[in-house]
Amino acid sequence: MTTLAFDGRTGASGDMLLGALVAAGADSTVLERVEDALDVAYDVTTVTKRGVRATAVSVTHGDAPDDDRGADERDDHEHEHDGGRGHTHAHDDAEGHGPTRTYVEVRALVESMGLPEAVEADALAVFEVLGRAEAAVHGTDLDDTHFHEVGADDAVADVVGAALLLHDLDPDRIVTTPVSAGSGEVSMHHGTYPVPAPAVVEIAERASWHLRGGPVETELLTPTGAALLAHYAEGVDETPAMRVSESGYGAGSTNLDERPNVLRAVVGEEREDSAESEDGTHGAAHDERVARDGLVRDDVVVLETNLDDAPPEVLGGLQDTLADAGARDVSIVPLTMKKSRPGHLVKVIAKPADAGAVARRLAEETGTLGIRETGARHRWIAERDFETAEIAVEGETHAVSVKVARDAAGEVYDHSAEYDDAAAVAAETGLPVREVMRRAVEAVRAERAGT
């Protein structure tokens, strides 16, 4: 399994993520799609941060003056969250260049760019994370939320550019270690607030990774960086065991005292969770996912929407159509909506990396105007596999698949015969389905017991 791991100890911003992805092997030419759609250009350079060679990616505008100085030679950028000036940031993220936009306008812009379907879905999902955070902070509706910095051209270029680069890398799994937010204060349109900024805190509530303060007194984690990691990355305590194939560093715009201002990205083949090391112990990637009671933690996103006008045929097909987009499970619950109208609650479980594509497909299939991402960030699941049971009926042998549930230590605690197999045998033999299922489970248990 190919894994992309970010080291979050120095925070993250949109431009740092761009630099880290290019340095880790993503093809920077994919960014030309954004340059063609917006009046911007990506400036990719190599810089040194406290002795660490890093890739700096900045967004320039058609009317911007040329600047051929290296990133370490440029003055520290100062900006406020409303696009003004007055607070120094360690990361150059969403400087407010170009027009600011509402959430609805940003969606329309992204949809007009002609992006691959998966890239568009991911970019829109990131902006929804940003929009919901801003709406929660300011007490507004999502569609009425006005982006200041994160709606400007360069912020759109950061989000869409990161989506394109990640699509080019195409890892099976994306993780991040705990992400540092910095400390101190940040100036915004409404006043001075402590770091992390309110929007970053809101985003962190929806993320599966841990947010931590420090280690320096400046803003390390920007809303754009937080939203990108919240959408794409699973939280881990440390970089999982992997055979490294690529690595690189994305540079922040300023220098920090005593430490390089960089975001590290590592790409490699991760050891399977079930694999054991030479001394017989499980690897770190396995251990950090095991609960105290032996079940395994699986990071997920739960998506919900209420429907009052969906045809039964559409509801009946959601299991298959959403599964094609990456959904792990779909539940549909009848409910009563406003004006006593009958409706349905659709709940979907998906992996964080698939949430954007699943949400887009759910919206397309049902026509819903809004999809909620609930607070659940993981589930505890069993390891499972299948065994084939052979049962004899009137001298003939029939095969039925039986699901076997195990905890992380390998202890079996449940058996369940597959209904479709049992129903086929029941139709052929005349036995009740539940009798076929019972015999199949007993046959597997007997075989495991050696009788």
Short mmCIF file of all heavy atoms in Angstrom, two decimals, residues 254-283:
data_model
loop_
_atom_site.label_atom_id
_atom_site.label_comp_id
_atom_site.label_asym_id
_atom_site.label_seq_id
_atom_site.Cartn_x
_atom_site.Cartn_y
_atom_site.Cartn_z
N THR A 254 8.81 32.32 5.52
CA THR A 254 9.74 33.04 6.39
C THR A 254 10.67 32.05 7.09
O THR A 254 10.51 30.83 6.98
CB THR A 254 8.99 33.86 7.45
OG1 THR A 254 8.31 32.98 8.35
CG2 THR A 254 7.99 34.79 6.81
N ASN A 255 11.62 32.60 7.84
CA ASN A 255 12.54 31.78 8.61
C ASN A 255 12.14 31.78 10.07
O ASN A 255 11.73 32.80 10.62
CB ASN A 255 13.97 32.30 8.48
CG ASN A 255 14.50 32.15 7.08
OD1 ASN A 255 14.24 31.14 6.43
ND2 ASN A 255 15.22 33.14 6.59
N LEU A 256 12.27 30.64 10.71
CA LEU A 256 12.02 30.50 12.14
C LEU A 256 13.35 30.40 12.87
O LEU A 256 14.32 29.91 12.33
CB LEU A 256 11.18 29.26 12.43
CG LEU A 256 9.81 29.16 11.76
CD1 LEU A 256 9.16 27.83 12.10
CD2 LEU A 256 8.91 30.31 12.19
N ASP A 257 13.38 30.86 14.12
CA ASP A 257 14.58 30.71 14.92
C ASP A 257 14.77 29.25 15.31
O ASP A 257 13.84 28.59 15.76
CB ASP A 257 14.47 31.56 16.20
CG ASP A 257 14.47 33.05 15.88
OD1 ASP A 257 14.99 33.42 14.82
OD2 ASP A 257 13.92 33.81 16.70
N GLU A 258 15.94 28.74 15.09
CA GLU A 258 16.39 27.45 15.60
C GLU A 258 15.78 26.23 14.92
O GLU A 258 16.10 25.11 15.28
CB GLU A 258 16.15 27.33 17.11
CG GLU A 258 16.89 28.40 17.92
CD GLU A 258 16.65 28.25 19.40
OE1 GLU A 258 15.85 27.37 19.79
OE2 GLU A 258 17.26 29.01 20.17
N ARG A 259 14.89 26.41 13.95
CA ARG A 259 14.30 25.24 13.29
C ARG A 259 13.93 25.59 11.86
O ARG A 259 13.57 26.74 11.56
CB ARG A 259 13.10 24.69 14.05
CG ARG A 259 11.89 25.59 14.06
CD ARG A 259 10.79 25.03 14.95
NE ARG A 259 11.16 25.05 16.35
CZ ARG A 259 11.14 24.00 17.16
NH1 ARG A 259 10.75 22.83 16.69
NH2 ARG A 259 11.49 24.10 18.42
N PRO A 260 14.02 24.63 10.94
CA PRO A 260 13.63 24.91 9.55
C PRO A 260 12.11 25.03 9.42
O PRO A 260 11.37 24.20 9.97
CB PRO A 260 14.16 23.70 8.78
CG PRO A 260 14.22 22.61 9.79
CD PRO A 260 14.54 23.26 11.11
N ASN A 261 11.65 26.04 8.71
CA ASN A 261 10.23 26.24 8.48
C ASN A 261 9.82 25.45 7.23
O ASN A 261 9.69 26.01 6.14
CB ASN A 261 9.93 27.73 8.30
CG ASN A 261 8.46 28.00 8.14
OD1 ASN A 261 7.62 27.19 8.51
ND2 ASN A 261 8.14 29.16 7.58
N VAL A 262 9.64 24.15 7.39
CA VAL A 262 9.35 23.27 6.27
C VAL A 262 8.31 22.24 6.67
O VAL A 262 8.15 21.89 7.85
CB VAL A 262 10.62 22.54 5.77
CG1 VAL A 262 11.62 23.51 5.19
CG2 VAL A 262 11.26 21.70 6.89
N LEU A 263 7.60 21.73 5.68
CA LEU A 263 6.68 20.61 5.84
C LEU A 263 7.26 19.42 5.10
O LEU A 263 7.49 19.49 3.89
CB LEU A 263 5.30 20.97 5.26
CG LEU A 263 4.26 19.84 5.23
CD1 LEU A 263 3.86 19.43 6.64
CD2 LEU A 263 3.03 20.27 4.42
N ARG A 264 7.50 18.33 5.82
CA ARG A 264 8.09 17.16 5.19
C ARG A 264 7.00 16.21 4.69
O ARG A 264 6.00 15.97 5.37
CB ARG A 264 8.99 16.41 6.18
CG ARG A 264 9.64 15.16 5.58
CD ARG A 264 10.77 14.64 6.43
NE ARG A 264 10.35 14.27 7.76
CZ ARG A 264 11.18 13.96 8.75
NH1 ARG A 264 12.48 14.02 8.54
NH2 ARG A 264 10.72 13.63 9.94
N ALA A 265 7.22 15.67 3.49
CA ALA A 265 6.34 14.65 2.91
C ALA A 265 7.17 13.43 2.57
O ALA A 265 8.24 13.55 1.97
CB ALA A 265 5.63 15.17 1.67
N VAL A 266 6.70 12.26 2.96
CA VAL A 266 7.40 11.00 2.70
C VAL A 266 6.44 10.06 1.98
O VAL A 266 5.29 9.88 2.41
CB VAL A 266 7.89 10.35 4.01
CG1 VAL A 266 8.58 9.01 3.72
CG2 VAL A 266 8.82 11.28 4.76
N VAL A 267 6.90 9.46 0.90
CA VAL A 267 6.09 8.50 0.13
C VAL A 267 6.79 7.15 0.19
O VAL A 267 8.01 7.06 0.01
CB VAL A 267 5.93 8.94 -1.33
CG1 VAL A 267 5.11 7.91 -2.11
CG2 VAL A 267 5.26 10.31 -1.41
N GLY A 268 6.02 6.10 0.43
CA GLY A 268 6.61 4.78 0.46
C GLY A 268 5.57 3.69 0.54
O GLY A 268 4.37 3.95 0.63
N GLU A 269 6.04 2.44 0.51
CA GLU A 269 5.16 1.29 0.62
C GLU A 269 5.04 0.93 2.10
O GLU A 269 6.02 0.56 2.74
CB GLU A 269 5.72 0.11 -0.18
CG GLU A 269 5.65 0.31 -1.68
CD GLU A 269 4.22 0.50 -2.15
OE1 GLU A 269 3.34 -0.29 -1.73
OE2 GLU A 269 3.97 1.43 -2.94
N GLU A 270 3.82 1.06 2.60
CA GLU A 270 3.59 0.80 4.02
C GLU A 270 3.45 -0.69 4.27
O GLU A 270 2.83 -1.42 3.49
CB GLU A 270 2.32 1.51 4.48
CG GLU A 270 2.05 1.42 5.97
CD GLU A 270 0.82 2.20 6.38
OE1 GLU A 270 0.30 2.96 5.54
OE2 GLU A 270 0.39 2.05 7.53
N ARG A 271 4.01 -1.13 5.38
CA ARG A 271 3.88 -2.53 5.76
C ARG A 271 2.44 -2.84 6.12
O ARG A 271 1.76 -2.04 6.77
CB ARG A 271 4.79 -2.82 6.97
CG ARG A 271 4.86 -4.27 7.37
CD ARG A 271 6.01 -4.49 8.32
NE ARG A 271 5.92 -3.63 9.50
CZ ARG A 271 6.96 -3.39 10.30
NH1 ARG A 271 8.13 -3.89 10.02
NH2 ARG A 271 6.81 -2.62 11.36
N GLU A 272 1.93 -3.97 5.68
CA GLU A 272 0.56 -4.33 5.98
C GLU A 272 0.37 -4.45 7.48
O GLU A 272 1.26 -4.86 8.23
CB GLU A 272 0.20 -5.67 5.32
CG GLU A 272 0.18 -5.61 3.80
CD GLU A 272 -0.91 -4.69 3.27
OE1 GLU A 272 -1.94 -4.57 3.94
OE2 GLU A 272 -0.71 -4.10 2.21
N ASP A 273 -0.84 -4.11 7.95
CA ASP A 273 -1.13 -4.14 9.39
C ASP A 273 -0.93 -5.52 9.99
O ASP A 273 -0.54 -5.66 11.14
CB ASP A 273 -2.58 -3.71 9.65
CG ASP A 273 -2.79 -2.23 9.35
OD1 ASP A 273 -1.80 -1.49 9.40
OD2 ASP A 273 -3.93 -1.85 9.06
N SER A 274 -1.20 -6.56 9.19
CA SER A 274 -1.10 -7.91 9.72
C SER A 274 0.32 -8.45 9.72
O SER A 274 0.59 -9.50 10.29
CB SER A 274 -2.00 -8.86 8.91
OG SER A 274 -1.59 -8.85 7.56
N ALA A 275 1.24 -7.74 9.03
CA ALA A 275 2.62 -8.22 8.94
C ALA A 275 3.32 -8.11 10.28
O ALA A 275 3.04 -7.22 11.07
CB ALA A 275 3.37 -7.42 7.88
N GLU A 276 4.24 -9.03 10.55
CA GLU A 276 5.01 -9.01 11.77
C GLU A 276 6.47 -8.77 11.46
O GLU A 276 6.98 -9.13 10.40
CB GLU A 276 4.86 -10.35 12.51
CG GLU A 276 3.47 -10.58 13.06
CD GLU A 276 3.41 -11.81 13.94
OE1 GLU A 276 4.38 -12.58 13.95
OE2 GLU A 276 2.40 -11.99 14.61
N SER A 277 7.15 -8.13 12.39
CA SER A 277 8.58 -7.89 12.22
C SER A 277 9.35 -9.17 12.50
O SER A 277 8.79 -10.18 12.92
CB SER A 277 9.03 -6.78 13.18
OG SER A 277 8.79 -7.16 14.52
N GLU A 278 10.64 -9.13 12.29
CA GLU A 278 11.46 -10.33 12.42
C GLU A 278 11.42 -10.90 13.83
O GLU A 278 11.59 -12.09 14.03
CB GLU A 278 12.89 -10.03 12.00
CG GLU A 278 13.03 -9.70 10.51
CD GLU A 278 14.45 -9.41 10.13
OE1 GLU A 278 15.31 -9.44 11.04
OE2 GLU A 278 14.71 -9.16 8.94
N ASP A 279 11.19 -10.04 14.84
CA ASP A 279 11.17 -10.55 16.21
C ASP A 279 9.78 -11.02 16.62
O ASP A 279 9.55 -11.34 17.78
CB ASP A 279 11.68 -9.48 17.20
CG ASP A 279 10.79 -8.24 17.21
OD1 ASP A 279 9.79 -8.21 16.46
OD2 ASP A 279 11.12 -7.31 17.98
N GLY A 280 8.84 -11.07 15.66
CA GLY A 280 7.52 -11.61 15.95
C GLY A 280 6.53 -10.60 16.47
O GLY A 280 5.39 -10.95 16.78
N THR A 281 6.90 -9.34 16.58
CA THR A 281 5.97 -8.33 17.08
C THR A 281 5.34 -7.59 15.93
O THR A 281 5.90 -7.49 14.85
CB THR A 281 6.71 -7.32 17.99
OG1 THR A 281 7.72 -6.68 17.20
CG2 THR A 281 7.36 -8.01 19.16
N HIS A 282 4.15 -7.06 16.16
CA HIS A 282 3.46 -6.30 15.12
C HIS A 282 4.11 -4.94 14.95
O HIS A 282 4.67 -4.36 15.86
CB HIS A 282 1.99 -6.12 15.51
CG HIS A 282 1.19 -7.37 15.39
ND1 HIS A 282 0.78 -7.87 14.19
CD2 HIS A 282 0.74 -8.24 16.34
CE1 HIS A 282 0.09 -8.98 14.39
NE2 HIS A 282 0.06 -9.22 15.68
N GLY A 283 4.04 -4.41 13.71
CA GLY A 283 4.60 -3.11 13.40
C GLY A 283 3.80 -1.99 13.99
O GLY A 283 2.67 -2.16 14.45
#
